[in-house]
Amino acid sequence: SASLNFIMTTNLSFTANFVDVQKPALSLTAPGPNQRWSNSVFQIAGEANDNVAVASVFYQFDGGSWTPAQTTNAWTNWTANVTLTTPGSNSISAYAEDTSGNVSPTNKVSFLFIPSATLNVQTNGNGGKTPVDNGKLLALGTNYTLTAAPSNNWLFSNWVASGGENFVSNNPVLKFTMQSNLW
């Protein structure tokens, strides 16, 4: 009880003990909800705070085991690196614990891992192509179309693919499925 009735005697002393009951707060700042990610190595990031002090942050990747995160500034900001292996939907869950043993609510965010590769497109002679996807990351396993257009007084001859797939096509409209190392 917070109230104490007593009769005063010699050398009487009391100690009032208080317990921290406020839960810490935690937020996930990366990845964002439904964010699309193309690299297999990903850094999770977040923030945590408490009325006394945050003791630790734990994260869980795709329902795996709970793992401690890292911090360099007493959990104001925290990070963890994960390796993405499953294309499609993935999730990160995280919670914080304070020095009194209070635990924050668990936050969860889902995001998409879209394995991608850089498309390399070159032209020989005068002409162009649409869209201009050279050097862009394209999702592996996704179908794309390139259209070649010769300049005046030039004629389209063919497309030549090498790297992940080898072929020659004389159709100016090239339909392909993106693969790693496609040239």
Side-chain angles (χ1 to χ4, degrees):
S1 174
S3 297
L4 178 65
N5 293 322
F6 64 94
I7 298 175
M8 186 62 191
T9 61
T10 305
N11 297 324
L12 183 62
S13 69
F14 298 104
T15 301
N17 295 300
F18 300 92
V19 177
D20 175 25
V21 294
Q22 182 173 329
K23 295 179 179 183
L26 176 130
S27 64
L28 285 161
T29 57
N34 299 315
Q35 179 178 352
R36 295 169 62 100
W37 193 253
S38 61
N39 296 345
S40 62
V41 176
F42 186 81
Q43 185 174 70
I44 306 164
E47 299 173 348
N49 59 59
D50 186 59
N51 63 321
V52 178
V54 174
S56 56
V57 170
F58 292 90
Y59 71 93
Q60 181 184 53
F61 174 58
D62 279 344
S65 60
W66 288 99
T67 307
Q70 299 88 38
T71 188
T72 58
N73 60 3
W75 303 106
T76 299
N77 303 97
W78 58 269
T79 60
N81 292 323
V82 296
T83 301
L84 306 175
T85 57
T86 306
S89 183
N90 288 262
S91 66
I92 299 292
S93 299
Y95 71 89
E97 185 173 355
D98 70 13
T99 54
S100 300
N102 298 309
V103 177
S104 74
T106 300
N107 289 341
K108 182 177 182 178
V109 66
S110 295
F111 63 100
L112 296 172
F113 173 43
I114 312 292
S116 302
T118 303
L119 178 65
N120 296 298
V121 181
Q122 300 173 352
T123 57
N124 291 322
N126 288 338
K129 64 211 170 307
T130 56
V132 182
D133 285 339
N134 188 43
K136 290 186 179 178
L137 280 175
L138 300 182
L140 297 177
T142 301
N143 295 326
Y144 293 94
T145 302
L146 290 173
T147 303
S151 296
N152 288 337
N153 300 318
W154 287 80
L155 178 67
F156 171 76
S157 173
N158 59 27
W159 290 101
V160 177
S162 61
E165 185 173 326
N166 296 311
F167 65 84
V168 175
S169 171
N170 60 1
N171 187 338
V173 177
L174 176 65
K175 295 180 183 272
F176 65 98
T177 301
M178 186 61 189
Q179 303 173 23
S180 294
N181 302 317
L182 188 61
W183 285 82

